[in-house]
Amino acid sequence: MSLLRTSALALLGVLALEVSALAQDDVDDTAADTEPSIAPEPSPEASPDPDKMDVEEPPPSEVTPGATPETPPDATVTASATADADKPPETGFAFGSYGRVSMGSDLRGGAPERISVVAHPPRIVEPSYVETDLYYRWLTRKGVKLRTVTTLAFDDTLFHYTGEFDAQPALRNLFLEARLPSGLTLWAGSRMYRGDDIYLLDYWPLDDVNTLGAGASFEKKRWNAAVHVGTNRLLDPFQYQTDDVAAPDTGATTIEVLDRQRVIATAMATAFFDVAGLHTKAKLYAELQELASGQRQRADDTIEELAADHGVSLGAQLGAWGFGGGASHANLFVRYAKGLSAFDELAAPRGLDQKFSSWPGASEFVVGTGAALEHRLFNVAGAAYARRFVDADASTRDRDDGWEYAADVRPQVAVAGDVMAGIDLSYQARFPRGVSPTTLLAADPAVFQIAPMVVYAPMGRGAHDRPQLRLVWRAAHLNDAALDLYAVSDPRRAHAWVHFLGVQAEWWFNSSTR
């Protein structure tokens, strides 16, 4: 595919230039060939620039409860005093983790439920989830920093809750990275490749890619730039299909009827500057996607033609940090996507046109913000986004199309020692183009949630300091349109108020950061 070839050639060009430079270094350093390949462990470096750290996460939540869970906020929003203590060593093995465990009741004798009518709801009630990061790091005599990253993740299939011994891990990261003294970084493998998030909504509105690929970045004091190209092939009939057929030698064999990879290429550039003593940054992001044409076999063995598909996304971010006592931050995001890029790359696109293509009809526009105000006695975290999504089908009254928004604020105040008291207030609403399928009337589902909490935070009182233990009561009110989203026979239609009372634990340390 042209996109894959072009992106691969660009990455090979960057690599060739760096190899040429290293070859020249070898000529100059011939006398050093007898030195050991692993240098003694250096003294710790200064605390890394928070805006150049990269916490990599699972994809955003789906609309329905029980969706794929998310992990902690990007380190750009957590200029914590514990950064040096949490920094992995330069060489040898290192370990990191993100995890959360939630237990409680809906006060009717059932399990707690996450209430959502939008694509990215507030993260008040979440399923249990854990990631374990394993690193190995080398430092060569030429100052090249190498690391392997392996991340195993487990969902909320907890043996002590289900009684079933069947938890299955997902391999969320598996890649090798090389950071050269020149500022160039090269990597290849399978990884979560992301930037800053909106923590209270578990949402990465700008750069949010899960990819099997390779990339390069270049960093200087006041700017950095990065490119990447990768692929995926979902085990879904939209991209991959097999069939059992007769074979002359073995009698039967399995053949690939459909095999088409989605190619994803990204490029981004960030500039850092100070304005009146305030640390700020501006980031631009671009994404291209391509999917080849193919033939899919129907249940009756007839052939269905799938057209080639494409996607493009453009976005920008403005960020500021270091105000209000030093640890406060704020980010503003805007992004427009068209075609394949309007959909999650880990899900087959829906609402396609007659050629089974999302281009050019599907589109997504998002504007969002996330912020935290920090003080030694209190903190306030806030989040909001608005989103317009339109699929590629011909219907002008499609309930998948329309606007939605969510807003969330979580103030917390110190009570005694490491104990804080807080409350989470949120509102989410969706405005579909189509009418309700049951009432045949226009209806806008909405949910209001209030969640008082007591928080034990032994590592600090910041909005993003972890670990934490939390005692939480959540009361969510669903309007009639939100209740109407349940099936007619679903007993949940009778409960406009949905509760959760329980205990939560959340932690992260060395969690896939550079």
Side-chain angles (χ1 to χ4, degrees), residues 73-262:
D74 189 275
T76 60
V77 304
T78 57
S80 171
T82 62
D84 286 328
D86 289 341
K87 185 182 177 184
E90 291 285 349
T91 60
F93 283 103
F95 173 76
S97 177
Y98 168 78
R100 63 172 179 261
V101 183
S102 180
M103 62 223 77
S105 169
D106 64 359
L107 301 185
R108 297 196 305 269
E113 179 185 2
R114 185 181 190 180
I115 302 300
S116 170
V117 298
V118 298
H120 309 287
R123 59 182 306 166
I124 304 171
V125 178
E126 297 180 289
S128 300
Y129 176 75
V130 68
E131 291 177 353
T132 57
D133 298 306
L134 300 176
Y135 310 93
Y136 193 83
R137 299 175 182 240
W138 301 265
L139 181 63
T140 72
R141 66 177 181 272
K142 297 185 182 300
V144 178
K145 298 178 181 179
L146 301 170
R147 71 166 182 162
T148 61
V149 180
T150 305
T151 303
L152 290 176
F154 295 84
D155 62 13
D156 60 344
T157 307
L158 302 178
F159 168 73
H160 298 94
Y161 186 74
T162 66
E164 297 184 0
F165 207 74
D166 64 349
Q168 297 185 12
L171 195 57
R172 298 308 309 273
N173 280 315
L174 184 64
F175 66 91
L176 171 65
E177 180 185 77
R179 306 186 75 184
L180 289 78
S182 63
L184 178 67
T185 297
L186 305 171
W187 66 269
S190 176
R191 73 182 296 181
M192 298 175 283
Y193 192 58
R194 299 184 171 186
D196 296 346
D197 75 333
I198 303 176
Y199 171 72
L200 289 182
L201 302 179
D202 243 357
Y203 181 30
W204 281 254
L206 193 61
D207 41 345
D208 173 19
V209 176
N210 290 267
T211 180
L212 173 62
S217 62
F218 192 79
E219 297 186 9
K220 286 299 183 182
K221 184 177 181 181
R222 289 292 178 178
W223 63 273
N224 65 58
V227 294
H228 140 267
V229 59
T231 62
N232 79 17
R233 189 191 65 182
L234 303 179
L235 299 182
D236 183 280
F238 185 71
Q239 288 185 251
Y240 183 72
Q241 190 178 40
T242 62
D243 190 23
D244 295 329
V245 299
D249 294 330
T250 61
T253 188
T254 300
I255 63 171
E256 293 179 343
V257 178
L258 178 66
D259 180 9
R260 55 177 189 165
Q261 293 187 125
R262 183 188 299 200

Side-chain angles (χ1 to χ4, degrees), residues 55 57 70-74 98 123 197 199 204 506 508 511:
V55 173
E57 306 302 334
E70 297 292 340
T71 47
D74 189 275
Y98 168 78
R123 59 182 306 166
D197 75 333
Y199 171 72
W204 281 254
E506 186 179 32
W508 58 70
S511 182

Side-chain angles (χ1 to χ4, degrees), residues 44-60:
E45 296 180 351
S47 176
D49 186 341
D51 278 77
K52 298 181 182 179
M53 299 176 70
D54 176 27
V55 173
E56 302 140 340
E57 306 302 334

